[in-house]
Amino acid sequence: MEWWNDAVVYQVYLRSFADSNGDGIGDLAGLRTRLGDLAALGVDALWLNPCFASPQRDHGYDISDYFSIDPDYGTVDELETLVESAHELGLRVLLDMVANHCSDQHEWFREAITAGAGSAARERFLFRDGRGAHGELPPNNWQSVFGGPAWTRVVEPDGRLGQWYFHAFDASQPDFDWRHPEVADHFDRVLRFWFDRGVDGFRIDVAHGLVKSAELADWPGADDGTGGHNYDMWDQPEVHEVYRRWRRIGDGYAPDPKYFVGEIWVPSVESLADYLGPEQLHQAFGFDLLVQPWNADRMRAAVDRGLGQSARTATPPAWTLANHDVHRTVTRYGQAQDLSAPVPSDMIAAARRHGPADLELGVRRARAAAMLLLALPGTSYLYQGEELGLPEVVDLPRDARQDPIWVRSGGAELGRDGCRVPLPWSADAASFGFSPAGAALPWLPQPAWFGDFAADTQQHDPSSTLSLYRELLHSRRALFAPSEPLLWLASDNPELLVFARGSAICAVNFGERDAALPLADDARVLVRSTSGRDIPGTTLPANSAVWLTTATGPEHHGLRPTTEDALAR
Ligand code: NOJ
Ligand code: CA
């Protein structure tokens, strides 16, 4: 079995993890001092959001040099040392590959601007003449994911307005033309450069986006402004050649081949499957679970779709409930749950809704959701701060917000800053221990209440969310053996999801009332998401979860496999 098959990967938003030099920005050296904490938490691998040289317009997703580390974060040597230290602790390290676009400060793009229309330098990007009598209209109607047109007009070397270039995201993030051979060659070199420095793999940013339809014609479909439905802009067949090429490079590092997980938003599990398998990517994030509301049927259906896809592609699923692009689970699950759309039409927006949240309820549900996630077969991705039960910071001062989504929408969209606020490590220290004493203020302000969630307070409190995560991560593998498939168990209560893997059972009560679990005497409750009250073994409180084992097998408890599963067996 490969290391990633049942790994728990912890996502480090480096800028907000730990600051070593007091500039208010998290960095590699800060992360290195905290590696012991992550190993103690019990994770297997780290994924670092982009740390390459970047003007930070989209916090590292705008790369100006793929072969260097941003001075905010450290140096290439420090990255190498970090990887070595992580490996000594048994932690793998994944970086973030942003190959769809670079920064407008990348030397290729600067060269393209000065070289002018018709130059070879422009062919590495998507430059086109505008429409209209004077080229004053964008070349097509495609919209940027961050709002507004996906085209920006340039000032030509002669000082006049000229061609337009395409950017799926911010104007500071020009898209490469992946039909140009030099682009592919460049990324081969980038991969090898970091692999040769010990990096174990990459998370691939917008992996479905690299190649656009050759015609760049107007998109006739209804445009919801997110670009998410424009399938001339995404998911082109030629993109698979990129991943075949990358896989060959990664496999060249056998006996310890490199690993790829894709961020892929496509409309069906069938098209997702096209990216996976022994010749392309090892895994793709299962965002389906992340966008579901707190509801037993919806969660179960998403798990089933994920397992179905996993079976079809013979790749373990990569589950996740949170990342740096969506609101935190505590806040999402504490909001009124929207059950109206069977599958959310704009998937990211579904996980970034505004609205009041009952945070106490949100924490209960987020803790139960973590127990569901970590009991599933496959890989789990955890976003930093989820283990502290952090809520989204929705009340950031307006002038502190930096996300291009906030900027481009003129403040109509809060954007993603609220899940990126620097972590609270110590309740009583300045900047809650994020930076050393006497440091500059953190790059995003931490609210006063952040101290209530500090890691040092939670560390020794057995009822804290941090303690729960530690317990889950340490018991997970022994309990739910990787080889044990998931078997749903029938219960009379529609709010209850119960599944077994081998002799271990995970039960989640999505309802607002305590539920009774039909358990025989030999059932042993191992972990509960709720604490603080004496709960009889057979009761599962509202909005909570439990892990238990049974010596005799689930059938002994009146927990029969559900009919479909029984038939499927
Ligand atoms: C997806 C990343 O997760 C997000 O943070 C980024 O803004 C866009 N891709 C553009 O790179
Ligand atoms: Ca720093």
Side-chain angles (χ1 to χ4, degrees):
M1 201 179 78
E2 309 293 347
W3 68 263
W4 47 271
N5 275 27
D6 75 330
V8 173
V9 187
Y10 182 94
Q11 179 188 350
V12 178
Y13 197 77
L14 194 60
R15 201 172 184 77
S16 301
F17 189 76
D19 167 26
S20 70
N21 62 351
D23 61 0
I25 298 175
D27 46 53
L28 292 171
L31 169 58
R32 199 154 80 89
T33 62
R34 295 283 183 189
L35 284 178
D37 297 71
L38 294 174
L41 180 61
V43 302
D44 305 299
L46 312 178
W47 150 36
L48 276 59
N49 287 99
C51 50
F52 313 104
S54 161
Q56 306 291 340
R57 293 286 293 273
D58 189 19
H59 296 315
Y61 286 97
D62 50 323
I63 298 174
S64 52
D65 179 3
Y66 289 79
F67 300 96
S68 69
I69 296 290
D70 194 276
D72 277 355
Y73 301 136
T75 62
V76 174
D77 283 348
E78 281 179 280
L79 189 278
E80 263 190 278
T81 316
L82 174 90
V83 173
E84 275 168 29
S85 309
H87 285 172
E88 280 163 19
L89 291 167
L91 300 169
R92 301 280 184 157
V93 180
L94 312 176
L95 299 185
D96 207 319
M97 172 59 64
V98 189
N100 179 67
H101 48 265
C102 58
S103 157
D104 59 0
Q105 299 306 306
H106 190 281
E107 67 167 336
W108 276 4
F109 191 75
R110 287 160 47 143
E111 195 186 332
I113 294 289
T114 48
S119 64
R122 286 209 173 170
E123 290 174 8
R124 298 178 184 126
F125 298 92
L126 294 163
F127 279 89
R128 294 290 183 275
D129 293 334
R131 298 194 290 194
H134 308 286
E136 71 280 12
L137 298 173
N140 71 20
N141 66 355
W142 296 6
Q143 297 290 302
S144 148
V145 176
F146 288 168
W151 296 90
T152 291
R153 199 170 187 191
V154 301
V155 178
E156 298 293 358
D158 65 5
R160 281 195 275 215
L161 284 173
Q163 286 196 300
W164 299 70
Y165 67 91
F166 176 80
H167 49 88
F169 296 90
D170 191 56
S172 63
Q173 296 165 297
D175 281 44
F176 288 109
D177 184 350
W178 266 89
R179 296 173 193 277
H180 193 299
E182 284 180 23
V183 172
D185 291 345
H186 169 258
F187 281 97
D188 289 356
R189 287 197 301 280
V190 174
L191 286 177
R192 290 203 179 92
F193 183 85
W194 297 107
F195 287 158
D196 290 346
R197 279 158 186 79
V199 167
D200 297 291
F202 277 93
R203 173 263 189 191
I204 304 167
D205 191 55
V206 285
H208 56 305
L210 274 44
V211 183
K212 282 78 188 167
S213 77
E215 297 74 28
L216 298 178
D218 270 350
W219 174 248
D223 206 326
D224 66 355
T226 65
H229 299 291
N230 178 348
Y231 279 96
D232 279 351
M233 186 161 147
W234 309 110
D235 198 28
Q236 297 298 301
E238 295 88 340
V239 77
H240 300 294
E241 193 41 49
V242 178
Y243 302 127
R244 288 192 194 100
R245 190 170 170 138
W246 290 8
R247 182 63 177 258
R248 285 194 293 271
I249 293 175
D251 282 353
Y253 288 82
D256 195 14
K258 306 299 183 179
Y259 159 86
F260 297 102
V261 58
E263 181 211 21
I264 302 173
W265 297 90
V266 287
S268 68
V269 286
E270 287 77 20
S271 28
L272 192 58
D274 292 343
Y275 290 78
L276 302 173
E279 293 185 351
Q280 295 188 57
L281 307 182
H282 299 81
Q283 288 183 301
F285 291 114
F287 293 120
D288 200 359
L289 197 62
L290 181 156
V291 299
Q292 299 306 329
W294 183 252
N295 173 271
D297 287 345
R298 293 283 292 270
M299 287 283 198
R300 175 174 167 160
V303 168
D304 279 339
R305 285 191 293 268
L307 293 175
Q309 176 211 307
S310 159
R312 222 181 351 262
T313 56
T315 49
W319 311 102
T320 182
L321 292 172
N323 62 35
H324 64 295
D325 288 332
V326 297
H327 285 177
R328 288 194 175 274
T329 51
V330 166
T331 300
R332 278 183 1 235
Y333 296 140
Q335 292 173 325
Q337 300 298 293
D338 179 9
L339 301 177
S340 54
V343 176
S345 57
D346 173 358
M347 304 230 261
I348 292 200
R352 243 192 251 144
R353 287 190 309 123
H354 299 203
D358 173 346
L359 296 182
E360 208 179 306
L361 176 64
V363 171
R364 286 176 66 90
R365 289 176 171 174
R367 290 168 61 122
M371 291 189 62
L372 169 72
L373 176 83
L374 291 168
L376 294 172
T379 315
S380 299
Y381 277 78
L382 302 180
Y383 178 51
Q384 73 176 36
E386 289 290 293
E387 78 282 13
L388 301 176
L390 284 178
E392 184 80 5
V393 183
V394 289
D395 50 357
L396 278 172
R398 293 177 67 87
D399 58 0
R401 288 192 178 272
Q402 306 195 7
D403 185 355
I405 294 185
W406 159 265
V407 177
R408 286 178 70 90
S409 71
E413 284 283 335
L414 287 185
R416 305 162 294 178
D417 293 315
C419 67
R420 300 175 176 181
V421 175
L423 291 187
W425 290 98
S426 329
D428 299 325
S431 72
F432 302 120
F434 169 67
S435 298
L441 291 174
W443 72 277
L444 277 176
Q446 300 159 304
W449 51 261
F450 240 39
D452 299 346
F453 294 84
D456 66 345
T457 324
Q458 295 200 35
Q459 184 78 20
H460 304 292
D461 172 2
S463 68
S464 71
T465 302
L466 183 58
S467 298
L468 173 67
Y469 265 90
R470 210 187 304 118
E471 205 176 344
L472 297 176
L473 291 170
H474 284 280
S475 53
R476 167 183 181 267
R477 201 163 275 136
L479 212 52
F480 300 101
S483 57
E484 291 290 358
L486 180 150
L487 183 65
W488 293 110
L489 302 174
S491 92
D492 301 336
N493 181 345
E495 311 270 32
L496 210 56
L497 280 194
V498 190
F499 62 82
R501 290 182 58 207
S503 59
I505 293 177
C506 172
V508 187
N509 180 1
F510 287 81
E512 298 306 318
R513 274 186 297 274
D514 290 1
L517 284 175
L519 293 179
D521 295 345
D522 72 339
R524 212 154 58 87
V525 170
L526 293 181
V527 193
R528 280 189 182 280
S529 66
T530 39
S531 56
R533 67 177 167 123
D534 212 6
I535 308 161
T538 52
T539 301
L540 187 53
N543 297 302
S544 81
V546 66
W547 285 0
L548 47 96
T549 51
T550 117
T552 44
E555 290 83 358
H556 185 61
H557 299 265
L559 289 164
R560 310 165 315 281
T562 58
T563 330
E564 310 95 87
D565 290 320
L567 289 176
R569 274 171 126 197

PDB file of all heavy atoms in Angstrom, residues 294 368 493 495-497 507-515 540-545:
ATOM      1  N   TRP A 294     -25.603  20.075   6.473  1.00  0.00           N
ATOM      2  CA  TRP A 294     -25.646  19.133   7.599  1.00  0.00           C
ATOM      3  C   TRP A 294     -26.942  18.340   7.523  1.00  0.00           C
ATOM      4  O   TRP A 294     -27.990  18.762   8.021  1.00  0.00           O
ATOM      5  CB  TRP A 294     -25.543  19.909   8.918  1.00  0.00           C
ATOM      6  CG  TRP A 294     -25.516  19.017  10.116  1.00  0.00           C
ATOM      7  CD1 TRP A 294     -26.509  18.836  11.029  1.00  0.00           C
ATOM      8  CD2 TRP A 294     -24.436  18.182  10.527  1.00  0.00           C
ATOM      9  NE1 TRP A 294     -26.108  17.931  11.976  1.00  0.00           N
ATOM     10  CE2 TRP A 294     -24.845  17.508  11.701  1.00  0.00           C
ATOM     11  CE3 TRP A 294     -23.150  17.924  10.012  1.00  0.00           C
ATOM     12  CZ2 TRP A 294     -24.026  16.610  12.374  1.00  0.00           C
ATOM     13  CZ3 TRP A 294     -22.340  17.027  10.687  1.00  0.00           C
ATOM     14  CH2 TRP A 294     -22.780  16.386  11.850  1.00  0.00           C
ATOM     15  N   ALA A 368     -18.553  16.391  15.099  1.00  0.00           N
ATOM     16  CA  ALA A 368     -19.150  15.140  14.616  1.00  0.00           C
ATOM     17  C   ALA A 368     -18.742  14.887  13.157  1.00  0.00           C
ATOM     18  O   ALA A 368     -18.447  13.750  12.772  1.00  0.00           O
ATOM     19  CB  ALA A 368     -20.666  15.208  14.744  1.00  0.00           C
ATOM     20  N   ASN A 493     -34.011   5.368  12.402  1.00  0.00           N
ATOM     21  CA  ASN A 493     -34.000   6.820  12.541  1.00  0.00           C
ATOM     22  C   ASN A 493     -33.342   7.453  11.310  1.00  0.00           C
ATOM     23  O   ASN A 493     -32.144   7.256  11.080  1.00  0.00           O
ATOM     24  CB  ASN A 493     -33.217   7.158  13.824  1.00  0.00           C
ATOM     25  CG  ASN A 493     -33.173   8.643  14.082  1.00  0.00           C
ATOM     26  OD1 ASN A 493     -33.467   9.441  13.206  1.00  0.00           O
ATOM     27  ND2 ASN A 493     -32.783   8.997  15.291  1.00  0.00           N
ATOM     28  N   GLU A 495     -32.368  10.314  10.726  1.00  0.00           N
ATOM     29  CA  GLU A 495     -31.335  11.322  11.029  1.00  0.00           C
ATOM     30  C   GLU A 495     -30.000  10.679  11.384  1.00  0.00           C
ATOM     31  O   GLU A 495     -29.014  11.359  11.618  1.00  0.00           O
ATOM     32  CB  GLU A 495     -31.760  12.173  12.244  1.00  0.00           C
ATOM     33  CG  GLU A 495     -33.153  12.722  12.174  1.00  0.00           C
ATOM     34  CD  GLU A 495     -33.177  14.070  11.503  1.00  0.00           C
ATOM     35  OE1 GLU A 495     -32.336  14.306  10.602  1.00  0.00           O
ATOM     36  OE2 GLU A 495     -34.015  14.895  11.885  1.00  0.00           O
ATOM     37  N   LEU A 496     -30.010   9.352  11.458  1.00  0.00           N
ATOM     38  CA  LEU A 496     -28.828   8.641  11.938  1.00  0.00           C
ATOM     39  C   LEU A 496     -28.085   8.003  10.765  1.00  0.00           C
ATOM     40  O   LEU A 496     -28.680   7.305   9.959  1.00  0.00           O
ATOM     41  CB  LEU A 496     -29.324   7.533  12.878  1.00  0.00           C
ATOM     42  CG  LEU A 496     -28.459   7.076  14.018  1.00  0.00           C
ATOM     43  CD1 LEU A 496     -28.071   8.218  14.934  1.00  0.00           C
ATOM     44  CD2 LEU A 496     -29.220   6.003  14.816  1.00  0.00           C
ATOM     45  N   LEU A 497     -26.786   8.247  10.670  1.00  0.00           N
ATOM     46  CA  LEU A 497     -25.955   7.511   9.713  1.00  0.00           C
ATOM     47  C   LEU A 497     -25.074   6.581  10.527  1.00  0.00           C
ATOM     48  O   LEU A 497     -24.385   7.016  11.451  1.00  0.00           O
ATOM     49  CB  LEU A 497     -25.048   8.438   8.924  1.00  0.00           C
ATOM     50  CG  LEU A 497     -25.605   9.221   7.744  1.00  0.00           C
ATOM     51  CD1 LEU A 497     -24.443   9.799   6.920  1.00  0.00           C
ATOM     52  CD2 LEU A 497     -26.492   8.366   6.874  1.00  0.00           C
ATOM     53  N   ALA A 507     -21.081   6.151  14.073  1.00  0.00           N
ATOM     54  CA  ALA A 507     -22.487   6.571  14.010  1.00  0.00           C
ATOM     55  C   ALA A 507     -22.549   8.082  14.183  1.00  0.00           C
ATOM     56  O   ALA A 507     -21.864   8.636  15.051  1.00  0.00           O
ATOM     57  CB  ALA A 507     -23.288   5.874  15.103  1.00  0.00           C
ATOM     58  N   VAL A 508     -23.344   8.725  13.339  1.00  0.00           N
ATOM     59  CA  VAL A 508     -23.492  10.177  13.417  1.00  0.00           C
ATOM     60  C   VAL A 508     -24.971  10.500  13.506  1.00  0.00           C
ATOM     61  O   VAL A 508     -25.769  10.027  12.691  1.00  0.00           O
ATOM     62  CB  VAL A 508     -22.899  10.877  12.169  1.00  0.00           C
ATOM     63  CG1 VAL A 508     -22.914  12.390  12.360  1.00  0.00           C
ATOM     64  CG2 VAL A 508     -21.495  10.396  11.866  1.00  0.00           C
ATOM     65  N   ASN A 509     -25.322  11.315  14.503  1.00  0.00           N
ATOM     66  CA  ASN A 509     -26.706  11.754  14.665  1.00  0.00           C
ATOM     67  C   ASN A 509     -26.826  13.179  14.115  1.00  0.00           C
ATOM     68  O   ASN A 509     -26.332  14.124  14.722  1.00  0.00           O
ATOM     69  CB  ASN A 509     -27.088  11.704  16.148  1.00  0.00           C
ATOM     70  CG  ASN A 509     -28.516  12.154  16.386  1.00  0.00           C
ATOM     71  OD1 ASN A 509     -29.238  12.486  15.439  1.00  0.00           O
ATOM     72  ND2 ASN A 509     -28.929  12.183  17.656  1.00  0.00           N
ATOM     73  N   PHE A 510     -27.456  13.314  12.954  1.00  0.00           N
ATOM     74  CA  PHE A 510     -27.629  14.626  12.328  1.00  0.00           C
ATOM     75  C   PHE A 510     -28.841  15.369  12.873  1.00  0.00           C
ATOM     76  O   PHE A 510     -29.098  16.503  12.504  1.00  0.00           O
ATOM     77  CB  PHE A 510     -27.784  14.463  10.802  1.00  0.00           C
ATOM     78  CG  PHE A 510     -26.500  14.110  10.100  1.00  0.00           C
ATOM     79  CD1 PHE A 510     -26.038  12.809  10.068  1.00  0.00           C
ATOM     80  CD2 PHE A 510     -25.751  15.092   9.472  1.00  0.00           C
ATOM     81  CE1 PHE A 510     -24.846  12.486   9.426  1.00  0.00           C
ATOM     82  CE2 PHE A 510     -24.567  14.783   8.831  1.00  0.00           C
ATOM     83  CZ  PHE A 510     -24.115  13.469   8.806  1.00  0.00           C
ATOM     84  N   GLY A 511     -29.605  14.695  13.722  1.00  0.00           N
ATOM     85  CA  GLY A 511     -30.859  15.272  14.183  1.00  0.00           C
ATOM     86  C   GLY A 511     -30.709  16.170  15.395  1.00  0.00           C
ATOM     87  O   GLY A 511     -29.628  16.299  15.972  1.00  0.00           O
ATOM     88  N   GLU A 512     -31.826  16.765  15.773  1.00  0.00           N
ATOM     89  CA  GLU A 512     -31.863  17.702  16.895  1.00  0.00           C
ATOM     90  C   GLU A 512     -32.273  17.022  18.198  1.00  0.00           C
ATOM     91  O   GLU A 512     -32.438  17.679  19.210  1.00  0.00           O
ATOM     92  CB  GLU A 512     -32.846  18.852  16.588  1.00  0.00           C
ATOM     93  CG  GLU A 512     -32.467  19.688  15.374  1.00  0.00           C
ATOM     94  CD  GLU A 512     -31.049  20.240  15.467  1.00  0.00           C
ATOM     95  OE1 GLU A 512     -30.645  20.699  16.559  1.00  0.00           O
ATOM     96  OE2 GLU A 512     -30.326  20.185  14.446  1.00  0.00           O
ATOM     97  N   ARG A 513     -32.531  15.714  18.130  1.00  0.00           N
ATOM     98  CA  ARG A 513     -32.914  14.962  19.329  1.00  0.00           C
ATOM     99  C   ARG A 513     -31.926  13.828  19.583  1.00  0.00           C
ATOM    100  O   ARG A 513     -31.338  13.290  18.633  1.00  0.00           O
ATOM    101  CB  ARG A 513     -34.314  14.361  19.130  1.00  0.00           C
ATOM    102  CG  ARG A 513     -35.437  15.316  19.501  1.00  0.00           C
ATOM    103  CD  ARG A 513     -36.779  14.598  19.409  1.00  0.00           C
ATOM    104  NE  ARG A 513     -37.057  14.162  18.039  1.00  0.00           N
ATOM    105  CZ  ARG A 513     -37.633  14.946  17.127  1.00  0.00           C
ATOM    106  NH1 ARG A 513     -37.984  16.180  17.438  1.00  0.00           N
ATOM    107  NH2 ARG A 513     -37.866  14.499  15.911  1.00  0.00           N
ATOM    108  N   ASP A 514     -31.764  13.464  20.841  1.00  0.00           N
ATOM    109  CA  ASP A 514     -30.928  12.307  21.155  1.00  0.00           C
ATOM    110  C   ASP A 514     -31.471  11.088  20.407  1.00  0.00           C
ATOM    111  O   ASP A 514     -32.686  10.969  20.208  1.00  0.00           O
ATOM    112  CB  ASP A 514     -30.977  12.008  22.668  1.00  0.00           C
ATOM    113  CG  ASP A 514     -30.260  13.084  23.470  1.00  0.00           C
ATOM    114  OD1 ASP A 514     -29.750  14.050  22.859  1.00  0.00           O
ATOM    115  OD2 ASP A 514     -30.216  12.959  24.700  1.00  0.00           O
ATOM    116  N   ALA A 515     -30.573  10.207  20.023  1.00  0.00           N
ATOM    117  CA  ALA A 515     -31.015   9.003  19.322  1.00  0.00           C
ATOM    118  C   ALA A 515     -30.559   7.780  20.107  1.00  0.00           C
ATOM    119  O   ALA A 515     -29.539   7.826  20.799  1.00  0.00           O
ATOM    120  CB  ALA A 515     -30.419   8.979  17.917  1.00  0.00           C
ATOM    121  N   LEU A 540     -26.983   8.438  21.575  1.00  0.00           N
ATOM    122  CA  LEU A 540     -26.152   9.311  20.743  1.00  0.00           C
ATOM    123  C   LEU A 540     -26.814  10.693  20.740  1.00  0.00           C
ATOM    124  O   LEU A 540     -27.866  10.884  20.119  1.00  0.00           O
ATOM    125  CB  LEU A 540     -26.057   8.737  19.321  1.00  0.00           C
ATOM    126  CG  LEU A 540     -25.084   9.434  18.377  1.00  0.00           C
ATOM    127  CD1 LEU A 540     -23.694   9.539  18.977  1.00  0.00           C
ATOM    128  CD2 LEU A 540     -25.017   8.699  17.049  1.00  0.00           C
ATOM    129  N   PRO A 541     -26.224  11.646  21.471  1.00  0.00           N
ATOM    130  CA  PRO A 541     -26.862  12.962  21.572  1.00  0.00           C
ATOM    131  C   PRO A 541     -27.033  13.640  20.205  1.00  0.00           C
ATOM    132  O   PRO A 541     -26.353  13.281  19.238  1.00  0.00           O
ATOM    133  CB  PRO A 541     -25.890  13.754  22.452  1.00  0.00           C
ATOM    134  CG  PRO A 541     -25.086  12.736  23.170  1.00  0.00           C
ATOM    135  CD  PRO A 541     -25.001  11.552  22.256  1.00  0.00           C
ATOM    136  N   ALA A 542     -27.950  14.594  20.166  1.00  0.00           N
ATOM    137  CA  ALA A 542     -28.196  15.363  18.939  1.00  0.00           C
ATOM    138  C   ALA A 542     -26.884  15.933  18.415  1.00  0.00           C
ATOM    139  O   ALA A 542     -26.011  16.318  19.188  1.00  0.00           O
ATOM    140  CB  ALA A 542     -29.160  16.510  19.259  1.00  0.00           C
ATOM    141  N   ASN A 543     -26.738  15.976  17.078  1.00  0.00           N
ATOM    142  CA  ASN A 543     -25.577  16.596  16.437  1.00  0.00           C
ATOM    143  C   ASN A 543     -24.248  16.089  17.003  1.00  0.00           C
ATOM    144  O   ASN A 543     -23.374  16.873  17.372  1.00  0.00           O
ATOM    145  CB  ASN A 543     -25.643  18.122  16.579  1.00  0.00           C
ATOM    146  CG  ASN A 543     -26.843  18.696  15.867  1.00  0.00           C
ATOM    147  OD1 ASN A 543     -26.997  18.501  14.657  1.00  0.00           O
ATOM    148  ND2 ASN A 543     -27.719  19.374  16.602  1.00  0.00           N
ATOM    149  N   SER A 544     -24.148  14.787  17.100  1.00  0.00           N
ATOM    150  CA  SER A 544     -22.896  14.237  17.633  1.00  0.00           C
ATOM    151  C   SER A 544     -22.575  12.919  16.945  1.00  0.00           C
ATOM    152  O   SER A 544     -23.374  12.391  16.168  1.00  0.00           O
ATOM    153  CB  SER A 544     -22.998  14.041  19.139  1.00  0.00           C
ATOM    154  OG  SER A 544     -23.685  12.847  19.437  1.00  0.00           O
ATOM    155  N   ALA A 545     -21.385  12.427  17.224  1.00  0.00           N
ATOM    156  CA  ALA A 545     -20.938  11.171  16.607  1.00  0.00           C
ATOM    157  C   ALA A 545     -20.219  10.316  17.632  1.00  0.00           C
ATOM    158  O   ALA A 545     -19.781  10.810  18.678  1.00  0.00           O
ATOM    159  CB  ALA A 545     -20.005  11.468  15.435  1.00  0.00           C
TER     160      ALA A 545
END
